[in-house]
Amino acid sequence: AQLLTNSSVMALVDEILTLAKQHGMPRLIVFDTLNRCFGPGDENRTADMTEFVSALDLIRSKFKCAVLVIHHSGNKKQERSRGSSALRAAIDFEYSLTSKGKEKVLECTKIKDHDEPEKIYFQPVVVSTGWFDPETELEITSCVLQRVKAGVPTEKRLAGASAIVYEALKVACGAEGRASEKAWREEAYKSEISKSGKQDSMRQAFKRAKSGL
């Protein structure tokens, strides 16, 4: 959506109305990112940013919903958003997501007419998508943010091939508490470590999972 172009704004309104007929009126509309939705304007130019805010206000009032804009911080001034300060002056809430060690911290940096909320802490967690790369036949993973208490490490959850190889290690070790790599690998091969079942694919999957563990 190019919010500095009137025809694009009207087309967006029509599209939202079409969706609203199927799913009901929206409660939240997200623009991700400001740069991608800014159109031909200059983020640093106050007049352009004011026009962008006016488009957001039009959509917000039309649908009586909240509007969320994902925006980048400045390259040199990481503590503030990039571009004209007209955006920050117009918004009701501003949140900053930053990294603190392995944690991601969501902090309110501006709020109108409310008490300032506490910081929220997250840690990235690797999850399985259930999909496999058609060329390598290896599992495709993704990452989600899991909410945690500040400074409290979370248990790393294993998924996909990593979980299979770890369970295979426990079975191979058995009561003795130890096993050769060959026995471990053979135990892992008994499970669906690779969707294709090909020897080379299973070997590569085992190698990657073992390295990760």
Side-chain angles (χ1 to χ4, degrees):
Q2 306 299 296
L3 296 190
L4 295 193
T5 306
N6 188 60
S7 59
S8 179
V9 174
M10 292 302 102
L12 176 62
V13 169
D14 289 342
E15 185 67 24
I16 296 171
L17 285 170
T18 300
L19 289 169
K21 290 178 183 178
Q22 301 174 40
H23 307 288
M25 295 294 280
R27 296 186 181 183
L28 173 68
I29 298 175
V30 182
F31 293 92
D32 183 8
T33 61
L34 181 146
N35 180 263
R36 287 180 177 271
C37 300
F38 205 73
D42 181 351
E43 290 180 22
N44 295 301
R45 190 167 177 263
T46 299
D48 288 349
M49 187 62 78
T50 300
E51 190 175 344
F52 178 81
V53 171
S54 296
L56 295 177
D57 281 340
L58 183 151
I59 294 167
R60 181 172 59 88
S61 60
K62 174 75 176 177
F63 296 101
K64 297 181 174 59
C65 67
V67 173
L68 171 64
V69 180
I70 310 297
H71 193 27
H72 297 99
S73 59
N75 291 327
K76 293 183 179 179
K77 295 184 177 180
Q78 297 281 327
E79 71 279 359
R80 56 153 289 179
S81 59
R82 195 173 68 187
S84 171
S85 59
L87 177 66
R88 191 173 193 276
I91 59 179
D92 297 314
F93 303 88
E94 181 185 63
Y95 288 85
S96 172
L97 183 67
T98 56
S99 295
K100 185 179 180 183
K102 292 185 178 181
E103 295 177 339
K104 309 295 180 184
V105 185
L106 185 67
E107 179 180 8
C108 181
T109 50
K110 180 189 175 181
I111 191 165
K112 284 184 180 179
D113 306 322
H114 294 275
D115 292 332
E116 187 173 308
E118 294 182 357
K119 296 178 183 179
I120 303 176
Y121 296 83
F122 301 93
Q123 282 192 347
V125 177
V126 176
V127 295
S128 171
T129 63
W131 298 330
F132 290 79
D133 187 300
E135 293 184 3
T136 65
E137 297 176 346
L138 296 176
E139 183 188 35
I140 299 172
T141 59
S142 186
C143 188
V144 298
L145 291 179
Q146 178 179 308
R147 190 168 178 175
V148 297
K149 292 183 180 180
V152 178
T154 56
E155 179 184 350
K156 186 176 180 181
R157 296 180 181 178
L158 299 177
S162 295
I164 291 172
V165 170
Y166 178 63
E167 291 301 319
L169 176 62
K170 292 196 291 184
V171 173
C173 287
E176 291 185 14
R178 62 182 180 178
S180 67
E181 184 174 326
K182 180 182 178 182
W184 179 16
R185 184 170 56 250
E186 289 176 350
E187 188 63 42
Y189 285 1
K190 293 177 184 178
S191 302
E192 196 175 318
I193 192 172
S194 173
K195 203 170 185 180
S196 70
K198 294 179 181 178
Q199 192 76 10
D200 187 58
S201 297
M202 290 194 295
R203 183 164 53 249
Q204 289 295 324
F206 177 82
K207 184 178 178 181
R208 284 185 56 182
K210 186 189 74 165
S211 177
L213 291 172

